[in-house]
Each structure stands twice: as C-alpha cells, then as structure tokens.
Amino acid sequence: MSGKVYSLIFAGVGGQGALLGAEITALAAVRAGLDVKQTEVHGVSQRGGSVETHVRFGEKVWSPVVTPGAADVVIGLEKLEALRFAHFVAPDGVILANDHEIIPGSIAGAEDQYPHDAIDRLRGLAGRVVVLPAAEAARDLGDGRMANLVMVGGLAALLPIPRPTWIETIRERIPEKYRKANLQAFEAGEALMAQALGGLAERSTP
C-alpha cells in the first residue's frame, strides 16, 4: 500500500446498519494485516436519526478521525446523508451513495423540504459519484435491511482488500442464521458496482 492510509466515512440513518458496514470493513482490514482505527458512532443512533462513523486503515494509522476534504470514500446509505457528508470527500475521492430516501416522519413538512435532487447535487460537488440501487437490491433478496451489505460489496471494489478476506470476515461476523443472505447481498453489491464502474468508464471515454 506504499504507506497510504485509507479514510472512509459511513453515513446513514439509525436502523440502516451503518455501524455494521463500518465494522465489517474495519475487521476485513485487520484480517488483511493492516492497522485500523474506527470512531464510535456519532449522532442519534436510534431509528430515524442521522449517524456517522469513521474508519481509517493502512500500514500505520495514528488517528481514527477523517477531516473534511480527506475521505477516500464517503459511503452514504441514504441520499440526504450522502449529501450531508459530501464535504468530507477528497478531491480524488468517491461518494458511494445508496439511491434511497428516508423522509423523517417526525418533522412537519419533511416531504417538501427533503432534497429529492440530492444525487444531482452530489454530482455537482464531487468528481466521482457512484450511485447504487442498494435498497432495491436488498428488497429483491428478501430484506431491505441488508442494503448495508450491498453497499459494502460495492465499496470492496474501491479498496485494496482481497475478496476472500471480505468473504471470510462476513462469515465470521454475521450469525449463521443470516450469513447466507448477507453474503448474497455482498455479491449483489459487487455486481452492481461492476456495472456502475463500467458505465462511468464509458461516459469518460472520448
């Protein structure tokens, strides 16, 4: 890795599993023999509140905190949360966003205030924005809550961690009852990311 430290931010809404996605990524980096630092969850972690957690890994990491403008990848499990943390992405970084909206039910007029054009706004803020229909893919697999593992599958294509390491980490971390489904979600994310990156390459070709 030539001494590079990778900096990631997972952002979502309470109940989406942002912490689990971050934890699996951190554990995979540890399994790959890297030094890893992870912050505690910031925000209101109960269902419906905005949450974030930072993960940094490399040959040697001194701080778990990702500063604005320094994230290699911002992983947004919800469109508004991706937009909320977009300022953390580095100039050559990637915003990886789940094409999914969660309208706060406790706020009057939230539907009208919600930035339904969040993806277009993101593309105006960052050079590389990858949008995955992770929530839809998870629902197709039978459980929308697995969108976090779909996103991790997509994220894996952007990080120098071998695929077998991800698979072994998921097998170890996820209880047996849910293991097969979560592995399928991870694989769905891999497939979606391959399609998305192929599309980006085509659009960037003169």
Side-chain angles (χ1 to χ4, degrees):
M1 291 179 55
S2 303
K4 175 175 173 56
V5 173
Y6 283 79
S7 298
L8 315 174
I9 290 183
F10 289 77
V13 170
Q16 284 195 289
L19 177 58
L20 178 60
E23 182 183 350
I24 287 174
T25 302
L27 290 172
V30 169
R31 185 180 287 270
L34 301 169
D35 187 25
V36 181
K37 298 289 188 296
Q38 179 180 354
T39 64
E40 297 294 328
V41 175
H42 297 161
V44 184
S45 59
Q46 68 260 32
R47 188 171 299 277
S50 177
V51 297
E52 65 167 301
T53 183
H54 302 199
V55 176
R56 304 185 73 226
F57 66 85
E59 292 181 6
K60 185 60 182 176
V61 181
W62 298 103
S63 170
V65 177
V66 181
T67 56
D72 293 284
V73 190
V74 172
I75 304 96
L77 296 181
E78 195 272 347
K79 293 196 297 188
L80 174 57
E81 298 308 318
L83 184 61
R84 193 191 306 276
F85 291 93
H87 66 287
F88 277 89
V89 74
D92 59 347
V94 178
I95 296 177
L96 180 60
N98 178 14
D99 192 5
H100 182 58
E101 297 182 1
I102 298 178
I103 309 298
S106 60
I107 301 176
E111 175 70 38
D112 295 331
Q113 297 176 35
Y114 189 95
H116 299 288
D117 61 345
I119 297 301
D120 291 334
R121 293 195 197 184
L122 285 171
R123 289 183 171 132
L125 293 173
R128 294 185 70 197
V129 177
V130 180
V131 182
L132 302 182
E136 179 182 352
R139 288 194 297 268
D140 288 346
L141 289 170
D143 190 341
R145 293 173 297 178
M146 296 189 301
N148 57 346
L149 265 293
V150 177
M151 294 295 286
V152 170
L155 173 65
L158 304 175
L159 302 179
I161 299 174
R163 184 177 190 273
T165 302
W166 289 102
I167 300 300
E168 292 165 8
T169 301
I170 294 168
R171 287 185 181 278
E172 182 177 277
R173 173 61 182 82
I174 301 297
E176 183 177 359
K177 180 179 179 180
Y178 306 106
R179 192 173 297 150
K180 180 179 179 181
N182 278 271
L183 284 168
Q184 290 175 334
F186 178 86
E187 291 167 356
E190 290 181 304
L192 289 172
M193 191 64 167
Q195 294 173 8
L197 292 178
L200 284 177
E202 290 175 5
R203 287 196 292 273
S204 64
T205 300

